[in-house]
Amino acid sequence: MQPEADIMMNPVSDNKIPHVLTVAGSDSGGGAGIQADLKACAARRVYCSTVITAVTAQNTVGVQVQFDLIS
């Protein structure tokens, strides 16, 4: 069995990549929402599936329009 420190440093083993499901809105600026979740997953070397719940139109001043996605 590997020491705990080794497991934390190398969480991906035996070609099994952890899988995360994120449910969030889409931020057109890329700093929050699904886009930020994808960046976080990439940094942690995990596979990320997404469910987008809303789409925004925004700029540095603020959010101009929000479209909620319904099924």
Side-chain angles (χ1 to χ4, degrees):
M1 186 168 184
Q2 290 183 352
E4 191 171 326
D6 284 347
I7 293 171
M8 295 304 291
M9 294 301 294
N10 299 308
V12 179
S13 63
D14 299 327
N15 295 325
K16 295 179 183 175
I17 300 174
H19 194 158
V20 174
L21 173 64
T22 180
V23 180
S26 176
D27 168 28
S28 59
I34 290 285
Q35 288 79 357
D37 293 347
L38 288 169
K39 290 178 189 177
C41 287
R44 295 290 185 185
R45 298 181 357 196
V46 300
Y47 181 77
C48 187
S49 293
T50 61
V51 176
I52 299 176
T53 59
V55 178
T56 62
Q58 63 189 38
N59 57 26
T60 56
V61 176
V63 177
Q64 279 68 44
V65 182
Q66 174 182 326
F67 298 99
D68 292 329
L69 305 175
I70 57 174
S71 59

